Amino acid sequence: MLPDRAFFDSLADAARSQTLPRFRVGTAVTNKLHGGFDPVTEADQAAELAIRELIVNSFPDHGILGEEHESIGLDREHIWVIDPIDGTRAFISGVPVWGTLIGLRSGGRAVMGLVDQPFTGERYFADGSASWYSGPDGAHRIQVRDCGDISNAILFTTSPHIFSTDERSQYDRVESKVRLFRYGTDCYAYALLAAGHVDLVVENGLKPYDVGALIPLIEQAGGIITTWDGGRPEDGGSIIAAGSRAVYEQAMDLLAGR
């Protein structure tokens, strides 16, 4: 038995109860990366624990792959993929573009997913066949848009500084061809793409929990999300998402130097 929308909402609500009270209140930050900066907060850890508790109680035969705590049952048919706060840097900076990502894999494929932004009150959900939005302006089904050509596209990436030298040159070729580019929105960029507000997201260095909820959201809204070499994105890595096949193919040619 697979979960329904109500169960996903209960997971997001549980995470919200841990993250929102700690937002913009000067929460303590721990650095996970020696020689760099990879922040984690008490909110990250508490939110993931809250999600895990509900999953274990309701679906004890499911596996869990999370960012902040040990993964379990990764050989099982159904696996939850959790990022309690995607965009921790935004979270600790008081910028409301972070989100809670809750995805479900079945047979190795991302099939359902939810993106929640508690501060703005927006929630994006992929139910297995369609993608939906609920928030301040109501609730409705969402779909990607087709801007026609990459010259008309709006492009997002978290930061151009995330790319290595070679990857930066690949990314720059794409950026040079779009109408508008913006930085710093983490998972929110993918939600905006699924909702038809932007056309292209290009990033690298993503982990499975960074994309687990986003894959079904984009695909069930009619979009495309793959690795830079055209493979399935469930394992993360260098990722491209697009609202139309034409823009996707143009961007892929640019990434490949064609």
Side-chain angles (χ1 to χ4, degrees):
M1 182 180 69
L2 293 178
D4 57 13
R5 171 66 187 267
F7 184 70
F8 271 88
D9 282 339
S10 72
L11 298 180
D13 291 343
R16 174 194 176 106
S17 71
Q18 300 297 328
T19 58
L20 196 53
R22 294 178 169 98
F23 184 52
R24 294 183 174 173
V25 296
T27 189
V29 179
T30 301
N31 183 18
K32 297 187 291 185
L33 183 63
H34 179 72
F37 185 57
D38 185 10
V40 62
T41 70
E42 183 182 67
D44 293 86
Q45 296 168 334
E48 185 170 319
L49 285 176
I51 293 170
R52 283 171 173 262
E53 182 178 4
L54 290 174
I55 292 172
V56 169
N57 288 339
S58 298
F59 296 94
D61 58 335
H62 288 193
I64 301 175
L65 191 166
E67 180 177 12
E68 305 302 341
H69 300 281
E70 184 179 359
S71 295
I72 59 173
L74 298 186
D75 58 345
R76 298 175 186 173
E77 177 71 12
H78 304 300
I79 300 172
W80 293 86
V81 185
I82 305 165
D83 192 346
I85 299 179
D86 182 84
T88 301
R89 291 172 175 82
F91 184 89
I92 65 177
S93 304
V95 182
V97 293
W98 53 277
T100 295
L101 305 184
I102 306 168
L104 181 68
R105 289 186 192 174
S106 183
R109 189 114 174 186
V111 295
M112 300 178 75
L114 183 145
V115 179
D116 187 51
Q117 208 315 310
F119 189 78
T120 62
E122 295 176 288
R123 191 166 288 181
Y124 300 82
F125 179 63
D127 65 9
S129 60
S131 294
W132 304 86
Y133 166 88
S134 61
D137 52 344
H140 53 268
R141 184 174 177 176
I142 55 174
Q143 290 185 298
V144 297
R145 69 182 182 190
D146 183 355
C147 68
D149 187 87
I150 198 168
S151 62
N152 299 320
I154 298 175
L155 164 71
F156 275 75
T157 196
T158 295
S159 170
H161 298 292
I162 64 177
F163 300 109
S164 68
T165 301
D166 290 343
E167 290 168 332
R168 178 64 185 268
S169 64
Q170 292 174 276
Y171 168 79
D172 284 345
R173 288 196 294 267
V174 178
E175 186 181 278
S176 69
K177 298 297 183 181
V178 302
R179 172 174 289 180
L180 174 66
F181 55 86
R182 306 298 297 166
Y183 303 145
T185 49
D186 297 291
C187 63
Y188 198 58
Y190 297 87
L192 292 174
L193 188 146
H197 303 300
V198 306
D199 308 290
L200 196 58
V201 182
V202 178
E203 296 195 294
N204 78 329
L206 300 188
K207 304 298 184 184
Y209 45 74
D210 293 319
V211 295
L214 302 174
I215 297 165
L217 183 71
I218 290 170
E219 291 183 337
Q220 292 166 32
I224 304 160
I225 179 168
T226 72
T227 57
W228 287 13
D229 60 4
R232 288 297 305 172
E234 273 82 0
D235 290 332
S238 296
I239 299 295
I240 176 173
S244 72
R245 174 62 59 177
V247 169
Y248 169 80
E249 291 179 351
Q250 288 176 302
M252 287 288 278
D253 283 345
L254 291 163
L255 288 172
R258 295 192 290 267

